[in-house]
Amino acid sequence: MDIEKAIARLDLARKVRLLTGSALFALHDEPEIGLASLKLSDGPTGVRGAELRGGTIACVLPNATLLAQHWDTALAREVGEVLADEAAAQQVHVVLGPTINLHRTALGGRLFEAYSEDPLLTAAIAAAYVRGLQDKGIAATPKHYVANESETERRTASMVLDEKTLREIYLLPFEIVVEDSSPWAIMAAYNNVNGVPATEHAELVEGVLRGEWGFDGLLMSDWFATKSTAASANGGLDLAMPGPGGPWEDKLVAAVEAGEVAESTINDHVARLLLLASRTGAFGEQRAWPQDLPAPDSTLRREQLRRFAAGGMTVLTNSGVLPLQDDSVALIGRHAIDTVAQGGGSAGVRPPHVISIADGLTSRLGDAVSVVDGVEVRLRYAAPGAGVLTDIRATTFDADGEVLATRDMEIAELAAYGGWAQGATSIEVSGEVVLDEPTRMLIGVRGFGEWTVDVGGKQYATLLAWADGIVEEALLKPPHWTAEVLLSPGDRITARVRGASALVGLITQPVPRSPADAIGAAVRAAREADVAVVVVGLTEEQETEGFDKTTLALPGEQDALVAAVAAAARRTVVVVNAATPVLMPWLDQVDAVLWAGLPGQEAGDAVAAALLGDVEPAGRLVTTFPRADADALNLVPSDGELVYSEGTAIGYRGATNPLFWFGHGLGYTTWEYGTAELSVVDGLVGSVSAEVTNTGDRAGREVVQVYLRPRDEPVRLIGFAVADLAPGGTAHVEVPCDPRVQRVWQDGWHPLTGGEVLIARGLGDVRVTLPADQE
């Protein structure tokens, strides 16, 4: 059945019904016209499925910045193909990603989910990712359209920016992705743009997205982002998520009947929905889902994810200590034993495992590694998993106390909102503590509600009150209660909560040591080893959807830990387990810094491979690192408005003396640049050819970066290419340069003229400068 005939068979109510979700991550079916229910899933770094917590086991990929640090579109396409397989394994039609908002300020909490601060690099990586997904029949959903660069007041704030800034910086990634990869869907943002909600911004949707760029796909809202009925329907929004309920459904039917929305507009929305369904195999001839896809913990997937992570890691400094040789190693830090694989929020995925850095390095070096815990890195306690508790179970009850369902769990935490436990009157979570001898432990619960806790027959009770009724607060920053208890082997901890709002979890962990004790143990270990490897970083408390950072400083006493170890050790390597910039007051005291990102499920094996040189950590930074908090742009709205007063001068375009420049990365070899020349096409730089030689004694990957520095405009990246060379090898690297970043907006597009072309290993290491010859 074709789309027009299908629409003609539906009355108004049935058409409108299709334009709001049937559930949190599903759409309504319509058997009469051959439409199956489309399944959607969050998916920037893994296909989570319908459960917010504790759902299907799936691959956890390295985070977006770590993937982007490869500067490699072929790898980005492979990432999309992996995610397409992961989606198909769960019979998911639409993946809600990639995130192509920009790193406007290093204080942004959700930057880990977005690629970079540069529109061209972001767009090139994203377009390849989209092609990888869609070539396998899974829809990609670039998001969040548009100017959604911070999380503070994200549902209400208005981003105020001039048209030049909007066009040249924030719209540009979407423009390139639409033109180069034709995504089948796009997600509209929570925020307003110059006072108009993104979900009803007809100028940006009908005028720019569909009119100028020719986007023929579906525009869906972010979840609960639709703020109106008629205005959003008339403004170009096709799908209001989630459902059931919301501002459309019966209200939209009434708006059509009242003449506020034309029925032809409804037909247009349904047509785009059916086109999406047709493209993904849910309308007309139904797709056959493959049955023989690699498992998330298969040898193939583990090799891919290890390579994705290790190859994107970035060597920030190195006095020659890396790669590690046959040395004894003191591996120090909480992040070494509790390695953070992914950020917080909707991108979170349940992995088959997470390899800690301690396990990864020990598996390679054995007894040459001594592992020492570090200082506390969290303000809030995380839910325990295997190794701390065993036989973890969750049970839901109705109002009469009858069991609704019981599940075994890997971690003692689940979502009561949008998950299998939704609708239960009370929820119980329990687990048996793993101990060899009686030990004083910190036990407790996290999540809003009225709790009772039983530990070895002793009862506790507490009420954790609801804060502001905000979903982000309930899921990502739940309150907690703890008590110090003497536990014995075999003791079972059972907690039951009534009125659970969003997240339910147990807390079971050793009683925290004082920072002085932790640092003292680390210093003693460092003195006895040939090299100290200190692992520091951020957690999902800082790198998360829903909240921004207030500082770039490492949490807790991690800076003091590094400084103390560096003063005691013969040589010190710092591994940073974080996706976004941190302050490094100890930088001059250490011998090397490896930027490891959030490496996904194979984290420890990937870090070991990078430290030992099995895989060259050839990544280049995708964000400019500020020297101080004051150097990061503001992201707190004033009176509901966030003014992008810096204009187009974000990131490296406005930086003067950063800690590390955009594009920086040393790898494990050295490079010499020879002759270079550029070709000019219609007055613009069409391509650059550069002679590059690997002058080191190891094979390596070089990222040749080409920038344009116009006379009266900020510098900007216009092209890049990668080259893999053996020691002593030379190549002439051809770098195509994109004309869409060689123009300015002044009541329309105009080409940039004059200036210089910079051929560089990052803006802090320019190797060749040529006149642009554009006049």
Side-chain angles (χ1 to χ4, degrees):
M1 181 181 298
D2 67 28
I3 289 175
E4 288 187 7
K5 289 180 179 178
I7 294 172
R9 295 183 64 172
L10 302 176
D11 61 22
L12 176 62
R14 291 167 74 192
K15 287 186 288 190
V16 169
R17 176 176 174 268
L18 297 178
L19 302 179
T20 296
S22 62
L24 198 58
F25 293 101
L27 307 187
H28 292 282
D29 63 357
E30 189 58 72
E32 183 179 338
I33 61 171
L35 175 64
S37 172
L38 275 86
K39 308 298 182 186
L40 301 85
S41 172
D42 281 306
T45 52
V47 181
R48 191 197 62 234
E51 299 281 345
L52 295 177
R53 292 285 195 278
T56 302
I57 293 175
C59 288
V60 175
L61 279 70
N63 79 289
T65 59
L66 187 49
L67 294 170
Q69 283 170 191
H70 287 265
W71 291 57
D72 187 343
T73 56
L75 182 133
R77 185 183 187 118
E78 184 183 355
V79 168
E81 292 168 349
V82 169
L83 289 171
D85 285 350
E86 288 282 285
Q90 299 183 48
Q91 299 189 9
V92 164
H93 302 84
V94 182
V95 168
L96 304 177
T99 300
I100 59 173
N101 302 113
L102 299 180
H103 296 194
R104 174 180 172 264
T105 168
L107 290 168
R110 203 176 183 181
L111 301 191
F112 72 93
E113 200 178 311
Y115 292 119
S116 82
E117 69 187 20
D118 181 78
L120 176 63
L121 177 60
T122 292
I125 299 298
Y129 170 111
V130 170
R131 288 192 293 271
L133 272 167
Q134 295 189 170
D135 284 353
K136 288 196 166 191
I138 304 297
T141 313
K143 59 184 186 181
H144 309 82
Y145 190 75
V146 62
N148 184 202
E149 274 69 41
S150 56
E151 297 296 286
T152 305
E153 299 178 27
R154 66 173 180 164
R155 294 177 184 267
T156 58
S158 180
M159 307 299 144
V160 179
L161 62 172
D162 59 63
E163 190 165 11
K164 172 181 171 64
T165 301
L166 183 61
R167 291 277 188 165
E168 293 183 23
I169 302 295
Y170 299 103
L171 283 172
L172 186 57
F174 289 92
E175 178 182 1
I176 294 174
V177 168
V178 167
E179 291 180 349
D180 291 0
S181 63
S182 300
W184 298 342
I186 284 177
M187 183 186 292
Y190 285 119
N191 54 278
N192 298 348
V193 181
N194 293 326
V196 181
T199 50
E200 56 192 65
H201 208 305
E203 179 183 352
L204 292 179
V205 176
E206 298 293 356
V208 177
L209 179 62
R210 292 200 174 105
E212 294 181 25
W213 303 343
F215 173 65
D216 69 351
L218 175 135
L219 183 72
M220 70 179 73
S221 72
D222 204 337
W223 268 227
F224 304 103
T226 309
K227 302 174 183 179
S228 64
T229 301
S232 56
N234 289 329
L237 188 69
D238 297 311
L239 177 65
M241 289 298 291
W248 280 16
E249 292 196 341
D250 294 344
K251 295 173 185 171
L252 185 52
V253 172
V256 174
E257 292 172 342
E260 298 171 4
V261 178
E263 188 162 357
S264 60
T265 299
I266 302 299
N267 292 343
D268 288 342
H269 297 322
V270 176
R272 285 188 281 268
L273 175 65
L274 294 180
L275 178 59
L276 174 63
S278 176
R279 286 168 163 170
T280 57
F283 175 61
E285 184 177 351
Q286 304 294 301
R287 72 182 299 156
W289 298 102
Q291 302 298 313
D292 56 350
L293 295 168
D297 60 352
S298 64
T299 300
L300 172 62
R301 287 290 182 253
R302 296 192 65 181
E303 182 281 323
Q304 288 178 299
L305 301 189
R306 172 178 170 270
R307 174 167 47 86
F308 292 168
M313 293 178 185
T314 302
V315 180
L316 298 182
T317 63
N318 186 15
S319 66
V321 64
L322 293 179
L324 296 177
Q325 306 302 315
D326 294 328
D327 301 315
S328 61
V329 176
L331 181 63
I332 298 164
R334 179 61 54 82
H335 282 265
I337 60 177
D338 184 15
T339 306
V340 178
Q342 57 184 323
S346 63
V349 176
R350 176 189 173 197
H353 56 254
V354 173
I355 307 298
S356 71
I357 295 173
D359 286 344
L361 200 58
T362 301
S363 70
R364 288 294 316 280
L365 299 182
D367 293 340
V369 179
S370 60
V371 180
V372 181
D373 194 5
V375 296
E376 291 293 322
V377 298
R378 299 175 188 272
L379 297 174
R380 297 181 301 277
Y381 300 109
V388 180
L389 293 176
T390 187
D391 190 24
I392 304 171
R393 292 196 303 271
T395 305
T396 58
F397 302 88
D398 64 16
D400 297 323
E402 296 296 324
V403 172
L404 295 172
T406 297
R407 283 195 180 183
D408 294 329
M409 313 285 285
E410 279 87 16
I411 62 171
E413 181 179 274
L414 71 151
Y417 171 81
W420 67 276
Q422 185 164 341
T425 302
S426 62
I427 301 170
E428 183 178 279
V429 183
S430 67
E432 182 179 312
V433 66
V434 178
L435 290 174
D436 294 325
E437 60 185 18
T439 306
R440 296 201 68 81
M441 300 281 286
L442 208 61
I443 63 98
V445 294
R446 60 196 224 118
F448 297 106
E450 183 181 350
W451 289 91
T452 58
V453 183
D454 183 286
V455 183
K458 185 173 181 179
Q459 297 280 337
Y460 301 85
T462 186
L463 174 65
L464 298 176
W466 178 264
D468 300 316
I470 300 172
V471 171
E472 286 92 339
E473 188 81 20
L475 281 171
L476 304 175
K477 287 189 176 180
H480 65 266
W481 167 90
T482 59
E484 192 174 319
V485 175
L486 179 63
L487 294 176
S488 298
D491 278 352
R492 190 166 192 85
I493 303 170
T494 301
R496 184 181 286 202
V497 61
R498 292 183 179 275
S501 56
L503 181 132
V504 173
L506 289 182
I507 296 168
T508 309
Q509 69 169 58
V511 176
R513 290 188 300 173
S514 71
D517 287 347
I519 292 173
V523 166
R524 289 191 293 273
R527 289 188 180 128
E528 297 173 0
D530 295 322
V531 60
V533 176
V534 189
V535 189
V536 297
L538 304 176
T539 73
E540 68 281 358
E541 293 180 3
Q542 294 85 34
E543 301 201 282
T544 181
E545 177 184 6
F547 302 93
D548 290 314
K549 297 190 283 287
T550 57
T551 178
L552 301 178
L554 290 168
E557 298 296 323
Q558 294 184 89
D559 287 333
L561 173 68
V562 174
V565 169
R570 297 179 182 87
R571 292 171 295 166
T572 303
V573 175
V574 177
V575 176
V576 185
N577 180 199
T580 49
V582 301
L583 305 182
M584 301 181 188
W586 34 259
L587 186 62
D588 293 339
Q589 303 168 27
V590 303
D591 298 285
V593 179
L594 176 69
W595 191 258
L598 303 178
Q601 69 186 49
E602 307 302 320
D605 286 347
V607 169
L611 288 174
L612 297 170
D614 300 340
V615 176
E616 184 192 25
R620 303 294 188 263
L621 291 182
V622 294
T623 310
T624 301
F625 278 41
R627 289 186 178 274
D629 285 340
D631 297 333
L633 292 172
N634 173 59
L635 44 58
V636 179
S638 176
D639 296 325
E641 293 187 340
L642 181 58
V643 180
Y644 285 29
S645 57
E646 72 284 352
T648 61
I650 73 164
Y652 68 83
R653 297 178 184 223
T656 53
N657 183 33
L659 187 65
F660 293 107
W661 280 101
F662 175 85
H664 171 73
L666 301 178
Y668 283 155
T669 188
T670 54
W671 299 90
E672 181 179 291
Y673 280 55
T675 59
E677 59 184 24
L678 58 85
S679 67
V680 178
V681 180
D682 296 329
L684 303 178
V685 181
S687 65
V688 168
S689 175
E691 183 183 82
V692 178
T693 300
N694 179 354
T695 55
D697 58 4
R698 297 176 62 93
R701 164 167 284 205
E702 177 66 324
V703 180
V704 181
Q705 305 162 40
V706 178
Y707 298 85
L708 177 65
R709 184 159 58 197
R711 289 200 185 102
D712 301 314
E713 290 281 334
V715 65
R716 76 276 315 278
L717 181 73
I718 63 172
F720 60 92
V722 295
D724 293 287
L725 290 177
T730 297
H732 286 84
V733 181
E734 293 290 330
V735 184
C737 298
D738 199 308
R740 292 168 292 193
V741 286
Q742 300 179 62
R743 57 185 183 173
V744 291
W745 181 270
Q746 296 170 343
D747 296 322
W749 288 113
H750 302 278
L752 278 169
T753 58
E756 298 174 320
V757 172
L758 313 178
I759 305 171
R761 305 191 69 241
L763 276 172
D765 188 3
V766 175
R767 295 299 180 92
V768 181
T769 300
L770 299 171
D773 288 335
Q774 294 177 308
E775 294 184 316

